[in-house]
């Protein structure tokens, strides 16, 4: 059971990574079979992210925490001239993703690998060193070292590239009781909406001389942001 796994996941040691992988496998071992069916009702804003990818011909897209491959498949159908790469720490989720991608006939355009999104080397070996789009969809709220995961993705963003994030918001304009019950329920799935997400994105975009657009969706239920990287920069921090 997921709940019986010891939690010491706030560092980036190999032991912590292995523990996160075990935890995510435990969380998703059964859920992955009905994940796409159920999540479409509450992982809101994912289609907006895909709509806004606006991919040029030949573009490359990296999703960190790709889960069942739902977003990569939808994007590949929408933008057929691009190539897609997905990283997930859970082999269980990747098994479902491989199955879904093969069933959609997209195995030649979507490549997956197991890895930790907070590890800058997680995207090594895909082919491209840098990606035109790096996306995080309801993933940062599940990664204890989410700041490192953001930095790792930013380091992989190509000049003129765009990093997009959609995740749970802080429910600012929804009733307090709704927020309380939602956060309690999400905690059961090891999900923690990040109150500091916008601040972290501001710091990251400043360090990279990049532009940031951030907004709440659905009365703060979800949070959406994009960092657009300029062509030339020298980051103050990495
Ligand atoms: C809520 S699911 C979102 C999946 C997908 N992005 C979507 O929008 O449907 C979160 C995913 O993040 C993955 N994950 C959690 N921690 C991770 C980490 N450190 N590195 C990579 N993936 C991770 C989980 O295995 C899971 O597949």
């Amino acid at each position: 059971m997921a709940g019986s796994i010891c939690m010491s996941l706030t560092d980036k040691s190999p032991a912590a990574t292995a523990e996160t992988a075990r935890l995510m496998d435990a969380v998703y071992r059964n859920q992955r079979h009905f994940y796409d069916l159920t999540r479409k009702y509450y992982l809101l804003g994912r289609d907006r992210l895909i709509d806004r990818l606006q991919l040029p011909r030949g573009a490359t897209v990296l999703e960190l925490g790709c889960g069942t491959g739902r977003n990569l498949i939808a994007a590949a159908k929408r933008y057929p001239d691009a190539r897609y790469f997905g990283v997930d720490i859970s082999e269980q989720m990747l098994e479902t993703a491989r199955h879904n991608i093969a069933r959609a006939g997209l195995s030649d355009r979507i490549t997956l690998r197991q890895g930790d999104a907070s590890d800058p080397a997680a995207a090594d070996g895909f082919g491209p060193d840098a990606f035109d789009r790096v996306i995080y969809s309801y993933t940062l709220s599940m990664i204890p070292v989410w700041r490192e995961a953001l930095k790792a993705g930013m380091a992989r963003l190509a000049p003129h590239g765009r990093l997009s994030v959609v995740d749970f918001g802080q429910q600012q304009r929804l009733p307090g009781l709704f927020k309380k019950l939602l956060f309690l329920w999400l905690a059961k799935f090891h999900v923690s909406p990040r109150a500091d997400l916008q601040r972290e994105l501001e710091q990251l975009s400043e360090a990279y001389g990049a532009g940031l657009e951030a907004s709440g969706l659905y009365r703060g239920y979800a949070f959406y942001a994009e960092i657009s990287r300029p062509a030339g920069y020298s980051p103050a921090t990495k």
Side-chain angles (χ1 to χ4, degrees):
M1 288 291 291
S4 67
I5 293 177
C6 157
M7 295 283 288
S8 62
L9 307 173
T10 49
D11 66 72
K12 285 180 57 187
S13 65
T17 299
E19 201 172 323
T20 304
R22 275 199 301 277
L23 177 64
M24 290 300 120
D25 276 347
V27 167
Y28 289 115
R29 182 163 288 115
N30 297 320
Q31 285 191 44
R32 66 194 174 103
H33 300 295
F34 47 90
Y35 180 95
D36 287 334
L37 204 61
T38 50
R39 267 47 172 200
K40 73 176 169 190
Y41 297 108
Y42 64 91
L43 299 190
L44 306 181
R46 295 184 297 171
D47 291 334
R48 174 194 172 96
L49 186 154
I50 292 163
D51 285 348
R52 291 182 55 92
L53 284 174
Q54 298 159 337
L55 300 177
R57 274 185 90 81
T60 51
V61 179
L62 171 65
E63 181 171 13
L64 293 171
C66 62
T68 59
R70 180 263 185 205
N71 298 324
L72 293 171
I73 292 169
K77 288 180 178 167
R78 174 83 185 268
Y79 307 98
D81 295 318
R83 287 182 299 147
Y84 301 86
F85 304 88
V87 170
D88 203 283
I89 204 161
S90 163
E91 261 305 337
Q92 292 285 316
M93 281 300 237
L94 288 171
E95 194 178 305
T96 294
R98 284 187 204 102
H99 172 80
N100 291 345
I101 290 166
R103 204 177 47 184
L106 292 167
S107 302
D108 56 334
R109 291 181 37 229
I110 304 177
T111 309
L112 302 176
R113 69 173 0 196
Q114 197 265 350
D116 185 341
S118 67
D119 176 4
D124 281 357
F126 272 140
D129 287 332
F131 300 83
D132 299 299
R133 302 286 184 269
V134 175
I135 66 176
Y136 302 81
S137 166
Y138 287 92
T139 296
L140 294 171
S141 54
M142 286 199 90
I143 302 180
V145 287
W146 60 276
R147 291 183 174 83
E148 284 74 6
L150 266 178
K151 286 180 186 139
M154 195 67 195
R156 290 292 185 157
L157 194 61
H160 291 303
R162 195 159 67 227
L163 181 150
S164 309
V165 176
V166 65
D167 215 313
F168 290 104
Q170 294 298 307
Q171 320 301 312
Q172 302 90 323
R173 291 187 291 122
L174 287 160
L177 183 62
F178 176 82
K179 172 175 178 168
K180 192 173 170 191
L181 293 176
L182 178 69
F183 279 27
L184 278 173
W185 182 68
L186 292 175
K188 289 184 191 300
F189 299 96
H190 308 277
V191 174
S192 309
R194 306 295 177 196
D196 286 348
L197 183 50
Q198 180 158 349
R199 191 144 39 123
E200 188 66 23
L201 290 166
E202 282 164 5
Q203 285 172 3
L204 199 56
S205 47
E206 198 177 315
Y208 277 78
L212 171 68
E213 278 180 49
S215 56
L217 304 178
Y218 314 110
R219 300 171 66 85
Y221 176 86
F223 172 81
Y224 184 83
E226 293 174 353
I227 294 183
S228 301
R229 206 194 121 166
Y233 75 101
S234 60
T237 59
K238 271 203 174 188

